[in-house]
Amino acid sequence: MFVTNISLGSVGIGLLDTMRILTGSEAVNASHEYIILEYRLPKALSAIMVGCGLSISGLLMQTLFRNPLAGPYVLGLSSGSSLGVALLVMGSGLLGSNLAVFAQSKYAVVLAASLGSFSVLLLVMATLWRVRNTMAILIIGLMIASFTSAIVSVLSYFTSAEDLQQYVFWSMGSLGRLDWQDLGILWTLLMMGIFIFLYLLKKLNAFLLGEEYARSMGVNTKRTRFLMIVVTGILAGSITAFAGPIAFIGLTIPHLARQLFSSGNHFILLPAILLIGSLVMLLCETIAQLPGSSFVLPLNAVTSFIGAPIVIWLILKKQKLIF
Amino acid sequence: MELKADHLGIGYSGKQIAFADRLELNTGQLTGIIGINGSGKSTLLKTLEGNLRPISGEISIGDRSIMDFKQSELAKMMSMVSSRSSISSALTVEEIIRLGRQPYTNWFGKLSKTDKRIVEKAINTLQVSDLKLRYFDRLSDGQKQRVMIARALAQDTPFILLDEPVTHLDMYHQSVVFDLLRTITRKNNKGIIFSSHQINVVLDICDELIVIDEAAIYQRSVQHWLEGDALKGLFPSDHIRFDEATRRFRLK
């Protein structure tokens, strides 16, 4: 899947040639080597990391809220990022030319998206101190999401067509923006997320009986809940910052893993979601490239096209969703 | 070992709903909690479990305040069976019962030989070995209750607290559960505390009885309750009366 993804694109490069370039042996075609190493390889790697990161966040939120509709974005994180980017892209147009130039740079967008999701995360954490009820946090997250998207729609009403277009492109999601340095950052954050997930593994299984039971089995539920939200915030937040909002992956992959392995045991689910998440994300990315053509589909749309029917299919096939 | 409470005020968000001067629960004793709906039975259980802060007073196990216990230490003292929790349908019966060993296992949750033996014993005691590989949500209510009691037993704590363990069960399965509670109390020397609306059965099988009546919590031995007049006033007298000859509450 990995190699197939790399070999396909607007310029088709044979599987064999791709393998040769990846393994570092004599290149057949210098421009192919450049395309693969500087463009397609980072994109395939980021597909894997994005797939893994979103799946982990999604699983954590589903376990925390004990709700099959929870995903990495239930806390309102992607809306926060969207608001950050919208403010930057559309707001800077109103503020003057200096800022507008800055707004065009890639890091400004990443920064704005990170700030956006991070401030939503802080807001959610602040409410965590006040309310003990998990369901309340879920509702607050949804309300924050509606609130921020309302601001975005007001902004887009007053903005110029050009700026609006830039925002819309960001919101379509793309892995093409990540270079090797970004990958390094994402890799570090992903490893940190997986590490904390490993630390939480046993406690997550206790959560499957509900928070009361988890506490009675010796789990410090307050700290565990805190860590789950921090990991989700960092992973989903950084991914959205780099690649834009990517729908359905975080929601679908944990369900797919649960049904395929007929288990909710996190010791089984962790390797399962990492594998399935990578594969599905590579598949979506390959489809988005529309191999052989020079068009590229919005990644966010492709993941929805694939994700939504999968969820419906799972429910129809199994009659009773294992959750 | 003793689970004690002194001058215990229970309630939510600073509002007291009932008060107990003194409660004293021992291992090897079966204790029932009765009281009308909304009297605070669940609140009392949650407070004793350490899941809810007392409004006032102190709870201690073996002369050590439960506030001084770490969550992981408390989990080796008390286990619980809740009636409201939504349990994942993606776990098998065996996985659920094994979760009971969590307070004793390492971060990876690996079960030692001892852990496995205790799990096996709990499975046999509750006679759920033929359900081991079934998914929890495919079980009947009676089976579910037995599985959750097996999980609590696997946690191997001196005290087990159950919130209305027979609520959704028919008469036969109620008697199965009550019988199990009595047996486990005696054989495994557990201190079992449960709330129930089945007052007549509670009077038959329990050693101690906690009654919550008009915001006051009293604990006496069952014998003591039966000898006095206290039970007569438990319900408004227009529909139910206590018949002393048969030691039963009856409809008028």
Side-chain angles (χ1 to χ4, degrees):
Chain A
M1 193 70 224
F2 182 69
V3 179
T4 314
N5 172 276
I6 294 176
S7 81
L8 292 173
S10 58
V11 180
I13 301 172
L15 278 178
L16 224 68
D17 285 353
T18 311
M19 282 299 274
R20 231 175 264 153
I21 291 166
L22 285 176
T23 51
S25 37
E26 197 68 14
V28 195
N29 182 326
S31 66
H32 282 183
E33 184 177 342
Y34 180 80
I35 291 176
I36 284 182
L37 292 184
E38 286 306 311
Y39 188 64
R40 291 197 193 160
L41 183 58
K43 211 163 60 171
L45 286 175
S46 57
I48 290 176
M49 286 191 236
V50 166
C52 290
L54 289 177
S55 305
I56 288 179
S57 321
L59 178 57
L60 282 175
M61 289 300 99
Q62 289 175 2
T63 300
L64 174 62
F65 292 117
R66 300 280 316 114
N67 185 324
L69 282 178
Y73 296 137
V74 282
L75 297 174
L77 294 171
S78 75
S79 326
S81 305
S82 304
L83 181 63
V85 174
L87 281 175
L88 174 82
V89 174
M90 304 191 234
S92 63
L94 306 172
L95 284 175
S97 55
N98 274 346
L99 239 107
V101 174
F102 172 69
Q104 301 299 320
S105 80
K106 188 182 99 181
Y107 277 98
V109 173
V110 171
L111 194 69
S114 311
L115 277 178
S117 65
F118 200 68
S119 30
V120 168
L121 186 64
L122 285 182
L123 207 62
V124 172
M125 303 283 241
T127 57
L128 259 185
W129 290 113
R130 295 198 55 129
V131 289
R132 289 185 58 170
N133 186 340
T134 305
M135 193 52 93
I137 299 167
L138 184 66
I139 295 169
I140 289 171
L142 288 172
M143 290 307 110
I144 293 175
S146 317
F147 191 77
T148 47
S149 56
I151 300 180
V152 171
S153 60
V154 170
L155 271 176
S156 42
Y157 185 76
F158 286 108
T159 198
S160 72
E162 251 171 69
D163 287 344
L164 187 61
Q165 196 180 28
Q166 199 198 341
Y167 170 76
V168 170
F169 272 132
W170 176 83
S171 70
M172 285 174 174
S174 164
L175 300 176
R177 307 183 195 117
L178 285 91
D179 59 28
W180 283 104
Q181 200 186 344
D182 304 338
L183 282 180
I185 298 173
L186 207 54
W187 174 253
T188 316
L189 294 173
L190 181 64
M191 281 302 116
M192 200 188 66
I194 292 179
F195 188 76
I196 298 179
F197 195 102
L198 283 172
Y199 166 72
L200 292 176
L201 260 179
K202 173 177 140 179
K203 303 173 168 73
L204 295 177
N205 276 346
F207 261 75
L208 292 179
L209 302 188
E211 272 188 58
E212 258 191 350
Y213 270 116
R215 209 173 303 131
S216 86
M217 290 188 279
V219 176
N220 182 336
T221 44
K222 220 172 183 177
R223 193 175 63 198
T224 306
R225 195 162 61 168
F226 178 81
L227 283 175
M228 289 163 97
I229 289 181
V230 169
V231 170
T232 303
I234 290 176
L235 285 183
S238 60
I239 287 170
T240 314
F242 283 118
I246 292 171
F248 268 103
I249 295 295
L251 175 73
T252 317
I253 303 300
H255 281 303
L256 208 52
R258 252 182 236 113
Q259 316 308 313
L260 282 177
F261 292 87
S262 283
S263 179
N265 189 336
H266 289 80
F267 285 95
I268 298 171
L269 286 182
L270 178 63
I273 58 165
L274 293 183
L275 184 70
I276 302 174
S278 309
L279 286 177
V280 170
M281 204 55 212
L282 279 171
L283 177 72
C284 290
E285 223 289 314
T286 311
I287 294 174
Q289 290 308 313
L290 289 178
S293 82
S294 55
F295 293 106
V296 178
L297 292 178
L299 187 58
N300 199 359
V302 177
T303 54
S304 303
F305 277 139
I306 294 182
I310 285 181
V311 173
I312 295 174
W313 173 72
L314 283 176
I315 292 172
L316 291 181
K317 182 178 152 266
K318 280 275 184 176
Q319 294 190 352
K320 195 156 190 190
L321 192 68
I322 293 180
F323 181 68
Chain B
M1 195 168 287
E2 279 177 331
L3 174 61
K4 277 189 296 199
D6 277 304
H7 308 292
L8 181 70
I10 60 167
Y12 288 96
S13 46
K15 258 174 114 178
Q16 179 166 308
I17 60 172
F19 181 84
D21 203 35
R22 184 172 172 80
L23 301 175
E24 199 178 310
L25 307 153
N26 284 297
T27 46
Q29 267 182 359
L30 186 59
T31 306
I33 304 176
I34 61 174
I36 59 170
N37 286 332
S39 57
K41 298 190 294 297
S42 299
T43 314
L44 176 60
L45 280 169
K46 276 188 193 167
T47 313
L48 290 175
E49 281 158 11
N51 265 332
L52 195 65
R53 257 173 204 285
I55 305 288
S56 61
E58 193 166 33
I59 302 164
S60 59
I61 299 177
D63 288 329
R64 185 174 160 205
S65 164
I66 64 165
M67 292 296 182
D68 299 338
F69 281 88
K70 276 197 277 179
Q71 196 70 47
S72 51
E73 294 174 321
L74 206 55
K76 294 178 183 174
M77 289 295 161
M78 280 189 286
S79 53
M80 62 159 222
V81 175
S82 158
S83 57
R84 286 171 312 277
S85 209
S86 72
I87 287 164
S88 168
S89 60
L91 289 178
T92 61
V93 166
E94 193 176 24
E95 281 173 317
I96 289 176
I97 297 174
R98 284 174 164 216
L99 283 178
R101 296 305 297 164
Q102 278 217 355
Y104 306 91
T105 55
N106 61 4
W107 69 271
F108 203 65
K110 190 175 164 15
L111 298 186
S112 69
K113 268 196 183 135
T114 322
D115 292 323
K116 282 180 186 158
R117 208 187 56 234
I118 292 171
V119 167
E120 209 50 45
K121 222 176 122 193
I123 288 176
N124 290 332
T125 307
L126 275 296
Q127 293 162 19
V128 288
S129 55
D130 50 332
L131 306 175
K132 269 200 307 202
L133 299 176
R134 302 262 298 273
Y135 287 97
F136 188 73
D137 70 325
R138 308 278 158 89
L139 305 180
S140 72
D141 284 337
Q143 291 169 329
K144 281 182 183 171
Q145 207 53 263
R146 261 156 56 206
V147 169
M148 292 322 283
I149 295 172
R151 191 213 61 81
L153 198 58
Q155 204 170 326
D156 198 22
T157 53
F159 294 98
I160 302 177
L161 286 68
L162 306 93
D163 191 5
E164 299 193 14
V166 301
T167 303
H168 302 295
L169 307 183
D170 60 55
M171 207 170 162
Y172 171 72
H173 288 98
Q174 285 190 4
S175 59
V176 170
V177 168
F178 281 133
D179 219 31
L180 279 165
L181 293 183
R182 190 161 54 174
T183 318
I184 295 168
T185 310
R186 302 276 179 273
K187 276 200 183 153
N188 304 48
N189 193 34
K190 303 282 179 195
I192 294 186
I193 303 114
F194 70 96
S195 61
S196 178
H197 288 298
Q198 306 299 320
I199 299 182
N200 290 333
V201 186
V202 169
L203 287 174
D204 277 345
I205 66 167
C206 287
D207 307 302
E208 292 281 312
L209 185 59
I210 294 175
V211 175
I212 309 182
D213 188 21
E214 288 177 1
I217 309 171
Y218 309 98
Q219 179 197 349
R220 306 275 186 275
S221 71
V222 169
Q223 202 53 41
H224 188 279
W225 284 109
L226 290 172
E227 281 162 5
D229 282 344
L231 287 177
K232 284 183 190 159
L234 188 60
F235 294 108
S237 58
D238 46 351
H239 292 298
I240 300 176
R241 68 183 173 85
F242 183 68
D243 180 34
E244 282 171 59
T246 55
R247 308 161 121 211
R248 284 275 182 281
F249 281 92
R250 294 193 181 283
L251 291 176
K252 265 189 178 170

